Amino acid sequence: MARIAIPNAGQLGAWKALAAELGKSRGVLSERLAEHQGNHDLLSARLEALRASVDVTDDDAADVIRRARDESWARHRDDLTGDTADDFAAALAQDDRVAEGRLANARELVEIRSTSRNIAETAATIAHARDQLARNGSDREAVLLEIRAAARDLLGPRQETSPEQLIEMIEDRIAARVDALAAWEEIELSRKKTERAVDEEGRIPWS
């Protein structure tokens, strides 16, 4: 029992401090992630409501229509046929309608752009928070593996997933081990006293 390798007080203290720091960080990150996710949901709902309330073509769709107009013009310039002329006229009319609608709803378009930009920024923040949580989880797992390895002789193989639980088990087992060693020392002391008493009795001459 005395030969079992056990973590010392300094090592236990370092593990406790690191586990507490990682736990606190995880809590903060989880709260922030929930907050950012809530903001993202609100912004997404706002954008959907804006698009439903006004008939305006957003920037991406307008860019597609403008490119289609330019490509149609390029084909007509090269071929100069009736068909290419008709195609270009249709593409030009569609682009004009889109431009007129965007101009008439300029304020709503600005809000759509702003909301879309905020959604993209919030999505990036959410991804970053998730990465931080993943790194936190990896750090906790590394601490857990280190504790399991250092306390293997004391605890044997364990499946606890929390460093805090494992540290508490180590402390309990160390305390029980100290009590057992103290009891063993008491037994050994009593045995030695008994042996000495028997030896001394054996040396006494009997008349």
Side-chain angles (χ1 to χ4, degrees), residues 34-198:
E35 180 181 351
H36 295 318
Q37 188 62 60
N39 289 338
H40 187 275
D41 293 344
L42 289 174
L43 288 168
S44 297
R46 174 59 179 163
L47 180 61
E48 184 177 350
L50 281 169
R51 286 173 170 168
S53 66
V54 61
D55 184 15
V56 60
T57 306
D58 63 23
D59 291 342
D60 291 339
D63 287 341
V64 171
I65 293 170
R66 179 60 55 86
R67 285 197 300 271
R69 184 206 67 179
D70 293 342
E71 290 168 2
S72 180
W73 165 246
R75 286 192 297 271
H76 177 57
R77 186 181 57 192
D78 291 339
D79 297 341
L80 294 176
T81 66
D83 288 340
T84 58
D86 291 342
D87 290 343
F88 173 64
L92 181 61
Q94 183 182 18
D95 184 60
D96 287 344
R97 286 195 300 272
V98 168
E100 289 173 1
R102 284 162 62 83
L103 181 61
N105 297 280
R107 185 179 65 182
E108 290 80 1
L109 185 59
V110 168
E111 190 168 357
I112 288 174
R113 286 172 176 166
S114 175
T115 305
S116 298
R117 183 170 58 253
N118 289 337
I119 288 174
E121 292 173 353
T122 304
T125 302
I126 289 172
H128 180 62
R130 285 174 176 164
D131 287 343
Q132 288 181 306
L133 271 173
R135 286 196 296 272
N136 180 280
S138 297
D139 290 343
R140 283 175 62 86
E141 182 63 23
V143 172
L144 194 62
L145 291 175
E146 180 181 344
I147 296 173
R148 284 174 179 165
R152 188 177 303 278
D153 290 345
L154 185 65
L155 300 179
R158 307 301 307 183
Q159 298 302 319
E160 281 72 19
T161 58
S162 165
E164 293 84 356
Q165 289 178 346
L166 204 54
I167 291 170
E168 184 177 354
M169 289 187 64
I170 291 172
E171 290 178 329
D172 290 344
R173 192 65 59 86
I174 288 175
R177 180 176 178 274
V178 169
D179 291 343
L181 287 174
W184 177 257
E185 289 175 358
E186 288 291 335
I187 292 172
E188 282 294 292
L189 180 60
S190 177
R191 182 182 62 80
K192 290 178 181 179
K193 286 181 179 180
T194 301
E195 289 177 353
R196 283 198 300 270
V198 171

